[in-house]
Amino acid sequence: MDLATLIGLVGGFAVVVVSIMLGGSFMAFVNVPSLMIVVVGTLLVTMIKFSLAQFLSAAGVAIKAFSFKTKSSEELIAKAVELSQASRKGGILSLENADVPDDFMKKGLDLIIDGHDPDVVRSILSKDLVLAVERHSTGQAIFKGIGDVAPAMGMIGTLIGLVAMLSTLDDPKMIAPAMAVALLTTLYGAIIANMFAMPIADKLALRSKEEKRTKALIIDALVAIQDGQNPRVIEGLLKNYLPTSKREDKAAA
């Protein structure tokens, strides 16, 4: 579970709710027509931009913002060095029952054990990496789409509310409901875009970047192991994926 995403999302909405309750009645900020215009309208307009399957997959993609976590680079480097040492001692086939903490690394290791050429192994794993990035990009685009459409739907709702208000100036009882629609749609649109959709899209972009770096590290590690390179050389190669400060700390240790 990603605590930063959970705390930020829940905390942000909690601050808004508490502020509303301290300033007056919470129900004054609940308006069904405004919710329909912004929430339902935003989802329907965003759906136009994507296929139905892509749109429906958005919920599953969003879960990654909360739960997805890649293995640390340090852990993967240590495992790669361990596998390299075992391979040099007992050969590639000795890695068949090796304990591998990452599914992508396990897939690549199985390809190597099956005797595929290094170019084939790199090609298959690189294709997997490219397809994963494409899937992530679609998920990000959906939430960015929601973030773009929600404020626009809020503005549309505001205009609808203003037109309704101006058309009922002779009836004071109708002015307040129309004004509520006008103001609350803008509020709902801003909340959906800035407190939910855009932060989720940014977190998914971060997750995609992390996974891309991790898989690239694994590909380099496996190809180096298959080539029979020295474990120290492999470690030096893979440490390039670490921040400079961590490389220095690792070298000192």
Side-chain angles (χ1 to χ4, degrees):
M1 177 65 71
D2 183 0
L3 291 179
T5 304
L6 184 62
I7 293 174
L9 189 63
V10 174
F13 277 95
V15 167
V16 172
V17 171
V18 170
S19 298
I20 289 174
M21 295 181 69
L22 291 176
S25 171
F26 178 78
M27 294 307 298
F29 288 83
V30 177
N31 185 272
V32 176
S34 296
L35 286 171
M36 289 181 60
I37 293 171
V38 178
V39 177
V40 179
T42 295
L43 293 177
L44 292 175
V45 173
T46 304
M47 190 183 299
I48 298 173
K49 300 183 178 184
F50 305 93
S51 70
L52 183 60
Q54 289 175 329
F55 181 80
L56 294 178
S57 68
V61 172
I63 294 175
K64 285 193 173 184
F66 294 91
S67 61
F68 181 78
K69 186 173 178 62
T70 59
K71 297 293 181 181
S72 69
S73 297
E74 294 92 335
E75 182 180 353
L76 291 172
I77 291 173
K79 175 55 67 173
V81 171
E82 178 187 325
L83 293 173
S84 175
Q85 293 170 341
S87 176
R88 287 171 66 88
K89 290 180 181 179
I92 289 293
L93 293 179
S94 66
L95 304 180
E96 188 171 4
N97 297 318
D99 180 22
V100 181
D102 184 89
D103 292 338
F104 185 72
M105 179 179 276
K106 178 63 177 174
K107 175 182 177 180
L109 194 60
D110 289 341
L111 291 172
I112 293 174
I113 293 171
D114 289 342
H116 294 286
D117 291 336
D119 289 342
V120 174
V121 174
R122 181 180 288 275
S123 176
I124 292 174
L125 296 181
S126 296
K127 186 64 175 178
D128 189 310
L129 171 58
V130 170
L131 293 176
V133 171
E134 288 180 358
R135 289 193 298 270
H136 297 164
S137 297
T138 300
Q140 296 164 37
I142 291 173
F143 282 95
K144 285 182 179 179
I146 292 174
D148 291 337
V149 172
M153 294 304 299
M155 182 58 65
I156 290 173
T158 296
L159 295 175
I160 291 173
L162 290 177
V163 170
M165 183 185 69
L166 293 175
S167 65
T168 58
L169 288 178
D170 56 343
D171 186 357
K173 293 182 180 180
M174 298 300 297
I175 294 178
M179 180 60 74
V181 172
L183 296 178
L184 290 177
T185 48
T186 300
L187 174 64
Y188 293 158
I191 288 176
I192 291 174
N194 297 292
M195 295 181 63
F196 174 70
M198 296 308 293
I200 292 295
D202 290 340
K203 179 54 70 76
L204 290 174
L206 177 63
R207 293 295 186 218
S208 179
K209 184 178 179 180
E210 291 174 349
E211 186 171 359
K212 183 177 180 180
R213 183 178 63 249
T214 297
K215 288 189 173 182
L217 184 156
I218 291 172
I219 291 172
D220 285 345
L222 292 175
V223 172
I225 292 172
Q226 189 174 18
D227 287 342
Q229 294 185 20
N230 187 287
R232 290 187 179 181
V233 174
I234 293 176
E235 183 177 20
L237 169 68
L238 299 181
K239 282 200 299 184
N240 290 321
Y241 286 94
L242 298 176
T244 304
S245 58
K246 290 189 176 181
R247 294 181 212 169
E248 295 172 353
D249 293 343
K250 200 172 182 66

